Amino acid sequence: MSYPAILLALALAVAALFAASLMVGPAGLPASASLRALFGAEGRALVLVMQEIRLPRALLAAAVGAALGLAGAAMQGLLRNPLAEPGLLGVSAAAALGAVVALQTGLAAAFALALPVAALAGAGLAAGLMLAVAGPRGGTLALILAGIALSALAGAATALVLNLSPNPFAAAEIVFWTMGSLRDRAMSHLWLALPFLALGAAMLLTARRGLDALTLGEEAAATMGTGLVRLRILVVGGTAALVGAATAVAGAIGFVGLVVPHLVRPLCGGLPSRSLPAAALGGAAMLLAADLATRLLAPERDLKLGVVTALIGAPFFLHLILRTARAEA
Amino acid sequence: MTLLALDQLTVMRGGSAAVASASLAVGPGEVVGLIGPNGAGKTTLLRAALGLLPVAAGRSSLAALPAAARARAVAFLPQGRTIAWPVTVADLVALGRLPHGGGPGRLAAGDRAAVGRALAATGLAGLAGRIATELSGGEQARALMARALAQEAPLLLADEPVAGLDPAAQLAALATFGGLARAGRAVVVTLHDLGLAARACTRLVMMQAGRIVADGTAAEVLTDARLAAVFGIRAFRATTAAGPIVQPLEVV
């Protein structure tokens, strides 16, 4: 298949899964009535279900999935390593810490968007630190090590909050939040995340020619006119904006950013500039599918999205690795 | 007109000078062979000339250029042969067009012609559709050289481009460099094969411990005294109907 055909096929898959996401839910509405309600032409209750519950959920699944896929492809391109993933920067761990602090202190109950705002604040602090490391005096290795240190620090702080939590209900809530979910999200969550998602996507798409040049190594890329510091700042800043916003509204969702770039890369001829848009579409499709799975597999239970992506993603990833290993042997 | 001018270039590393007060001018039509034992500072000289390393003193005409202008003034073929992703040879070579606004998937007619010339010069036209990372080491080296050629800059700096290539590919690479020089461009190439250097370069620059110790024709530079003092070897040297022959014989 040609590259435009692949993008079209992925876009069609996203559209189909998006439609399915709107049609499936505990309310058990007929498809035609759901569609009419989406555009406000049905009874009040139905309109409420479609516009206030299912539409934001489907939109968030698509946006968060696209953000994670895009960020994963960009990080792998920057580090020239297929094992890189957006969580490597420590931004998602810091966002989770912000959310956990909001839950523990009761701030989350103070106003509707307190939790995602606190998570964004945590992500912003981490992003500032990582941007300093990515600057003129930093390097790729320093970036990876700083990300690992930051993740460990944020993880330990989160564990400390749980450890010392006097309130078992808050502790349970924290544990469930960190598993990632798109349940009970409103359009306001989308509006909160959207500016950061748009900024991050714009930064990463600006970086794609530079990421292509990096295929030849840092020195060759630099002599072809690629500003390495500018490229690092674009990719680290863009990834931080995407992952921070995604984690703030959806919690920690693993594996999408790692697996999706692997899936689309061979289809697009390997180059980062082509993998980036395909990974965004692939990530949207994967997260829409995983969110559908949480509703179809256990409609009565609140199956967490991050659990499902890891449960499906990890065995699939192992299968891919084994197949690649066999092909190379 | 000079394509590269180094003036008293000095690079410090770990308290000592990796390159010490190196001055060099390269003009159109030259194939300059940069020779010297391991650790003499050949690679450091090339990297500093390109502005990839901080310079303690002196200046390089290329390092003074803005990045975009430099990318059109000089192409660099690094020693480390990096191909990070499984891309086709055609896409890999097309990366050489990035400084001209082209690149994989967006080649104008001029870019496409340059990629075609580079593939033909390296004998890779038949492999254009293959995945570069699945090729042999020698084929990958040729594909990376084709990328540097596709950049079509007036000057090419190539760091050990023929290491690990078979004899035919080595001769073809040097013949390509000669062709570039005859077309009014210039090449600076680091080489360990003194025989190849003597035959294929219009001029040799010899380095030892960070200093340029000799600069001239092969006959001027490759004297018995210098081969012994700089390389620690004795070599058979002769001028034949088929050109100069230099064959290292033993360590002295």
Side-chain angles (χ1 to χ4, degrees), chain A residues 76-77 79-82 209 211-220 222-227 265 268-274, chain B residues 47 50 52 67-68 70-71 74 76 78 82-88 91-92 95-96 98-99 102-106 144 147 151:
Chain A
Q76 293 183 5
L79 302 178
R80 284 173 290 138
N81 189 328
R209 292 287 154 191
L211 291 176
D212 275 358
L214 263 193
T215 302
L216 299 163
E218 291 195 349
E219 291 200 327
T223 57
M224 288 199 296
T226 304
R265 186 171 297 118
C268 318
L271 284 168
S273 63
R274 291 187 200 141
Chain B
R47 294 171 65 192
L50 286 159
L52 295 172
R70 188 178 61 212
V74 59
F76 178 48
T82 306
I83 306 175
W85 303 113
V87 299
T88 62
D91 279 344
L92 187 76
L95 288 174
L98 285 173
R106 54 165 191 183
L144 288 168
R147 187 284 300 172
Q151 207 167 328

Side-chain angles (χ1 to χ4, degrees), chain A residues 154-214:
Chain A
T158 300
L160 183 70
V161 172
L162 279 174
N163 185 190
L164 300 181
S165 174
N167 179 349
F169 296 107
E173 209 178 343
I174 287 168
V175 170
F176 280 122
W177 187 85
T178 56
M179 292 177 185
S181 175
L182 288 170
R183 199 183 159 99
D184 302 331
R185 300 299 195 270
M187 289 304 274
S188 53
H189 284 90
L190 185 66
W191 301 135
L192 179 69
L194 212 52
F196 298 99
L197 296 177
L199 175 72
M203 287 173 84
L204 295 188
L205 291 176
T206 308
R208 55 185 206 269
R209 292 287 154 191
L211 291 176
D212 275 358
L214 263 193

Side-chain angles (χ1 to χ4, degrees), chain A residues 83-203:
Chain A
L83 291 177
E85 55 122 5
L88 204 64
L89 289 180
V91 172
S92 43
L97 177 62
V100 164
V101 168
L103 284 169
Q104 176 60 37
T105 57
L107 185 69
F111 62 102
L113 291 176
L115 187 144
V117 167
L120 275 175
L125 280 177
L129 191 79
M130 292 307 291
L131 279 172
V133 177
R137 298 176 59 191
T140 304
L141 186 64
L143 201 62
I144 297 173
L145 294 175
I148 290 172
L150 191 58
S151 287
L153 188 66
T158 300
L160 183 70
V161 172
L162 279 174
N163 185 190
L164 300 181
S165 174
N167 179 349
F169 296 107
E173 209 178 343
I174 287 168
V175 170
F176 280 122
W177 187 85
T178 56
M179 292 177 185
S181 175
L182 288 170
R183 199 183 159 99
D184 302 331
R185 300 299 195 270
M187 289 304 274
S188 53
H189 284 90
L190 185 66
W191 301 135
L192 179 69
L194 212 52
F196 298 99
L197 296 177
L199 175 72
M203 287 173 84

Side-chain angles (χ1 to χ4, degrees), chain A residues 1-328:
Chain A
M1 268 204 286
S2 70
Y3 178 61
I6 291 195
L7 286 188
L8 183 66
L10 284 168
L12 288 176
V14 171
L17 286 160
F18 187 83
S21 179
L22 287 176
M23 301 300 166
V24 174
L29 310 170
S32 56
S34 311
L35 265 185
R36 283 198 301 276
L38 190 59
F39 300 103
E42 272 288 334
R44 227 182 107 73
L46 207 50
V47 169
L48 204 69
V49 166
M50 289 307 294
Q51 292 188 348
E52 305 286 322
I53 297 176
R54 291 198 193 166
L55 184 62
R57 183 167 187 164
L59 286 172
L60 277 170
V64 168
L68 294 174
L70 184 59
M75 283 300 290
Q76 293 183 5
L78 179 70
L79 302 178
R80 284 173 290 138
N81 189 328
L83 291 177
E85 55 122 5
L88 204 64
L89 289 180
V91 172
S92 43
L97 177 62
V100 164
V101 168
L103 284 169
Q104 176 60 37
T105 57
L107 185 69
F111 62 102
L113 291 176
L115 187 144
V117 167
L120 275 175
L125 280 177
L129 191 79
M130 292 307 291
L131 279 172
V133 177
R137 298 176 59 191
T140 304
L141 186 64
L143 201 62
I144 297 173
L145 294 175
I148 290 172
L150 191 58
S151 287
L153 188 66
T158 300
L160 183 70
V161 172
L162 279 174
N163 185 190
L164 300 181
S165 174
N167 179 349
F169 296 107
E173 209 178 343
I174 287 168
V175 170
F176 280 122
W177 187 85
T178 56
M179 292 177 185
S181 175
L182 288 170
R183 199 183 159 99
D184 302 331
R185 300 299 195 270
M187 289 304 274
S188 53
H189 284 90
L190 185 66
W191 301 135
L192 179 69
L194 212 52
F196 298 99
L197 296 177
L199 175 72
M203 287 173 84
L204 295 188
L205 291 176
T206 308
R208 55 185 206 269
R209 292 287 154 191
L211 291 176
D212 275 358
L214 263 193
T215 302
L216 299 163
E218 291 195 349
E219 291 200 327
T223 57
M224 288 199 296
T226 304
L228 293 180
V229 172
R230 177 178 173 270
L231 182 66
R232 272 202 299 269
I233 286 177
L234 276 175
V235 173
V236 169
T239 301
L242 287 175
V243 176
T247 309
V249 294
I253 292 170
F255 259 92
V256 177
L258 178 63
V259 175
V260 168
H262 275 271
L263 290 176
V264 300
R265 186 171 297 118
L267 302 176
C268 318
L271 284 168
S273 63
R274 291 187 200 141
S275 300
L276 255 55
L281 289 171
M286 186 173 173
L287 210 62
L288 280 164
D291 187 45
L292 266 176
T294 64
R295 283 180 270 168
L296 292 172
L297 293 178
E300 307 305 319
R301 312 289 299 271
D302 180 18
L303 195 55
K304 293 296 183 189
L305 187 55
V307 177
V308 172
T309 57
L311 273 181
I312 300 173
F316 187 65
F317 192 53
L318 275 176
H319 164 75
L320 265 184
I321 290 168
L322 288 175
R323 204 180 59 183
T324 314
R326 257 201 303 277
E328 280 171 3

